[in-house]
Amino acid sequence: MSSLHLSLQQARHLQLAAQGLLTPPRRKADKADVLAAIRRMALLQIDTIHVVARSPYLVLHSRLGRYDTAWLDQLLAEGSVFEYWAHEACFVPTEDYGLLRHRMLNPDAMGWKNPPRWLEQHRADIDALIEGIHANGPVRSADFERKDGKGGGWWDWKPEKRHLEVLFTLGRVMVKERRNFQRVYDLAERVLPGWDDARDLPTAEQAQWRMLRNSCRALGVVKAGWVADYYRLKRGRYDAMLHQLADAGELIPARIDGWQHDVFIDAGLAPQLEQVAAGELKASATAILSPFDPLVWDRKRASELFDFDYRIECYTPAPKRQYGYFVLPILNRGKLVGRLDAKAHRAQGVFEVKALYLEAGVRHSARLAADLKAALQKLADWHGAPRLHVARAPGNLAAELMA
């Protein structure tokens, strides 16, 4: 099988094209664009930290520009997307429910959540909770008061929250909607009334193949060592499966200059490959990314493809942090050129960049400064915090960004 030859930068451009990050949006986004972006990525990871906009909203902003965050909430409430454990907790297009249903039916591998054991230990209380939802309608964790006066992280949840999480993991309840980003749970048969396991469930093997295809489509450029991470599939050798997809015409084998291993290009990128051949595939977008963006959530892939060593530090003790609490990668014209630690002070109308760092070898040019200034101002405006304050940046970049 002959291989297509790509430069590293061409491979980066193809992955950015697959992710919707190659060029800026051409028009004002609408609600349909939000669903299209989620389908394009296959998964939209959920995280609750909100020093800036919460991660799922920020990931969409990187691709769509200014949009109404209520649209994501509406898509969930309307049933166009659902929530479940995929890469981590994610919004997933509802047509892919069957791919993750196997995890609900066989939850032994779900780690610390260990739902079967918890279910066995608290069966009477959980049965009563299900009966309450059946009779009285959807509930939030906040609807149950804490009786022991404690509070803390997930290890110290009140029992009802743990019960709801276990029922969610088992697929007995689903997230019907979010109110102020709090999950509202209802019985799965009321959230997804048309689903029938006997009729609709793919086999585990079919689900694995579809998740593999989705990962290849979302990433655009893949190699065997990358594909398992997207849906957190079991680690293993995926070379044979990728070659089978190539034999079927769904993937195109390629070689990246200087790499030993084969990579594969999703066949849906055929138009972009024609542009590559003509030397016309250019990256023009500048975007501030979430730490949980699919482009960077796999540290190994980000390092290998973009030469960007990225670690999320919000879970690292403050004295051990190198860059800051919630550090956002900076994408500029096809390269990950730096990172910044930001906080949106919405009440004061200030978007604060506590520190901005450029990667080694990135030249501080007038064009880079102009790109960053435009991207940061758009992000600040969207947050409702239009005054940009940059505390620390290389050279005179802070002054240029605030000028």
Side-chain angles (χ1 to χ4, degrees), residues 41-63:
M41 295 181 284
L43 305 174
L44 177 60
Q45 188 174 335
I46 300 165
D47 191 82
T48 57
I49 295 170
H50 62 288
V51 287
V52 292
R54 287 186 174 92
S55 180
Y57 302 116
L58 187 56
V59 169
L60 290 167
H61 182 267
S62 301
R63 288 153 177 79

Side-chain angles (χ1 to χ4, degrees), residues 121-189:
Q121 289 171 340
H122 302 274
R123 186 169 292 279
D125 288 344
I126 289 174
D127 286 347
L129 177 58
I130 292 172
E131 190 49 49
I133 297 172
H134 190 270
N136 305 314
V139 297
R140 299 168 306 155
S141 162
D143 295 335
F144 303 94
E145 62 177 299
R146 198 169 180 116
K147 296 183 174 66
D148 59 9
K150 294 180 185 172
W154 60 260
W155 61 89
D156 193 27
W157 282 348
K158 55 192 170 186
E160 292 86 358
K161 179 167 176 60
R162 187 72 188 266
H163 298 341
L164 286 167
E165 286 294 316
V166 162
L167 290 169
F168 169 77
T169 298
L170 293 168
R172 300 280 301 278
V173 301
M174 292 178 69
V175 179
K176 176 185 170 65
E177 60 178 324
R178 279 182 177 259
R179 291 183 205 146
N180 298 323
F181 214 67
Q182 283 193 340
R183 283 171 165 175
V184 179
Y185 299 90
D186 201 357
L187 302 178
E189 58 267 29

Side-chain angles (χ1 to χ4, degrees), residues 289-310:
L289 305 181
S290 161
F292 306 104
D293 194 291
L295 195 73
V296 295
W297 71 25
D298 180 349
R299 186 178 179 186
K300 182 182 173 193
R301 171 165 50 85
S303 175
E304 288 179 347
L305 188 58
F306 286 92
D307 192 25
F308 189 72
D309 185 21
Y310 182 64

Side-chain angles (χ1 to χ4, degrees), residues 218-352:
L219 290 172
V221 178
V222 298
K223 64 175 213 176
W226 294 347
V227 288
D229 175 77
Y230 212 79
Y231 280 88
R232 297 285 164 86
L233 299 173
K234 284 182 181 170
R235 292 190 184 280
R237 296 188 63 79
Y238 288 89
D239 308 61
M241 294 176 81
L242 293 178
H243 277 97
Q244 278 181 258
L245 290 175
D247 290 342
E250 295 184 46
L251 296 177
I252 300 162
R255 272 292 172 96
I256 297 173
D257 292 344
W259 287 30
Q260 298 299 313
H261 302 287
D262 284 333
V263 297
F264 296 86
I265 313 299
D266 181 68
L269 289 177
Q272 285 82 4
L273 282 173
E274 288 179 18
Q275 289 179 283
V276 166
E280 293 171 356
L281 190 67
K282 306 282 190 236
S284 53
T286 298
I288 313 301
L289 305 181
S290 161
F292 306 104
D293 194 291
L295 195 73
V296 295
W297 71 25
D298 180 349
R299 186 178 179 186
K300 182 182 173 193
R301 171 165 50 85
S303 175
E304 288 179 347
L305 188 58
F306 286 92
D307 192 25
F308 189 72
D309 185 21
Y310 182 64
R311 188 164 56 91
I312 297 163
E313 295 186 299
C314 45
Y315 309 115
T316 303
K320 294 186 176 177
R321 288 181 199 136
Q322 185 178 358
Y323 296 108
Y325 176 70
F326 200 65
V327 173
L328 314 177
I330 303 168
L331 176 71
N332 176 242
R333 299 179 187 263
K335 297 178 180 177
L336 289 168
V337 296
R339 58 197 91 199
L340 57 89
D341 186 18
K343 182 174 174 63
H345 302 276
R346 295 167 183 86
Q348 292 79 33
V350 173
F351 192 88
E352 179 190 12

